[in-house]
């Protein structure tokens, strides 16, 4: 009887192991090849010339950044990203526009690069008084649906809003262990109306341990308050 019981347990364990989902495929990354870099430089220069309509093209100040990855056994996805020159977007706000381009190794040599389906993204930071906007190390992704004046206010107050939001971390099982972690603001986006407030925002923070906290901020009569928090 004992032998039968053990056999049944082993069989059940075998089924449990068989039912366990396979781990996700490992993501591989690499640097661009010389051919990929050279072909993008040619493509982008031609694009700038065509868009300048006979005027002298204004080339970006910075080299393109490449994001190249694949799941094991699948083709490489090669994406190049280019930032525009920094400029004033509004009073007290600087911005760069980031455009993305994708590479198709199977296309004809003169048609391997094209604009991705992703819309250009805005990356912003606070301007310095009486100073021309220049590149900075840390920028914040800005959803264009958020008014610039709200973005400026949230950039100025985000540290205080995060500090107040840490009190809310304790009430969320997904956030409580992250309560004391250092966070960096990564994005500002609109959020659905809540708590009787027609205007809400989502501040996306990233910790030094690659976790993410989203702080819902309520705007009422020109004041901003941390209202809720969620974590990944």
């Amino acid at each position: 009887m004992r032998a039968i019981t053990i056999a049944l347990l082993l069989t059940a364990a075998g089924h449990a192991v068989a039912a366990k989902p396979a781990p996700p495929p490992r993501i591989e990354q690499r640097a661009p090849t010389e051919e990929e870099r050279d072909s993008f430089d040619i493509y982008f220069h031609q694009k700038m010339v065509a868009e300048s309509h006979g005027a002298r093209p204004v080339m970006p100040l910075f080299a393109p950044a490449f994001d190249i990855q694949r799941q094991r056994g699948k083709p490489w996805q090669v994406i190049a990203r280019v930032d525009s020159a920094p400029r004033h977007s509004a009073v007290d706000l600087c911005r760069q526009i980031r455009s993305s381009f994708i590479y198709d190794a199977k296309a004809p040599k003169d048609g391997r690069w094209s604009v991705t389906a992703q819309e250009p993204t805005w990356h912003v930071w606070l301007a310095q008084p009486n100073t021309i906007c220049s590149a900075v190390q840390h920028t914040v992704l800005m959803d264009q649906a958020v008014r610039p004046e709200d973005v400026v206010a949230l950039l100025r107050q985000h540290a205080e809003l995060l500090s107040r939001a840490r009190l809310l971390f304790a009430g969320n099982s997904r956030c409580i262990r992250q309560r004391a972690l250092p966070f960096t603001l990564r994005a500002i986006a609109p959020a659905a109306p809540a708590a009787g407030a027609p205007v809400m925002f989502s501040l996306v923070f990233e910790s030094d341990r690659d976790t993410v906290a989203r702080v819902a901020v309520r705007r009422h009569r020109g004041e901003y308050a941390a209202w809720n928090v969620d974590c990944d």
Side-chain angles (χ1 to χ4, degrees), residues 5-21:
T5 302
I6 293 174
L8 290 173
L9 290 172
L10 290 175
T11 301
H15 286 314
V17 171
K20 185 178 180 180

Side-chain angles (χ1 to χ4, degrees), residues 130-148:
N130 305 315
T131 304
I132 297 174
C133 288
S134 56
V136 296
Q137 184 175 6
H138 174 67
T139 63
V140 175
L141 177 63
M142 168 189 168
D143 191 305
Q144 296 178 47
V146 182
R147 300 186 312 168

Side-chain angles (χ1 to χ4, degrees), residues 23-153:
R26 187 167 66 88
I27 300 296
E28 300 176 330
Q29 296 179 313
R30 66 168 174 82
T33 65
E34 184 175 351
E35 191 280 331
E36 288 164 348
R37 283 187 180 277
D38 291 344
S39 67
F40 181 75
D41 288 343
I42 294 171
Y43 161 79
F44 193 76
H45 183 269
Q46 291 175 342
K47 184 177 185 296
M48 292 294 96
V49 170
E51 293 178 354
S52 66
H53 303 292
R56 184 177 180 179
V58 179
M59 304 304 291
L61 300 176
F62 313 101
F66 288 87
D67 180 8
I68 304 176
Q69 58 180 281
R70 70 175 178 183
Q71 290 183 347
R72 179 178 289 179
K74 294 188 176 181
W76 289 102
Q77 182 184 65
V78 181
I79 293 178
R81 294 188 173 92
V82 178
D83 289 341
S84 68
R87 57 170 294 179
H88 278 280
S89 173
V91 176
D92 299 328
L93 191 66
C94 296
R95 79 155 189 237
Q96 285 178 304
I97 298 177
R98 181 168 299 165
S99 301
S100 299
F101 306 87
I102 192 164
Y103 181 79
D104 181 0
K106 296 181 180 180
K109 190 173 182 179
D110 59 351
R112 292 181 178 174
W113 287 98
S114 61
V115 178
T116 66
Q118 179 186 9
E119 292 292 326
T121 53
W122 288 21
H123 299 260
V124 299
W125 60 98
L126 290 174
Q128 298 298 318
N130 305 315
T131 304
I132 297 174
C133 288
S134 56
V136 296
Q137 184 175 6
H138 174 67
T139 63
V140 175
L141 177 63
M142 168 189 168
D143 191 305
Q144 296 178 47
V146 182
R147 300 186 312 168
E149 51 265 43
D150 285 319
V151 173
V152 170

Side-chain angles (χ1 to χ4, degrees), residues 30 45 79 99-100 110 153 157 161 176 183 203 219 229:
R30 66 168 174 82
H45 183 269
I79 293 178
S99 301
S100 299
D110 59 351
Q157 299 179 39
L161 290 167
I176 189 168
F183 283 92
L203 301 189
R219 189 188 77 194
V229 65

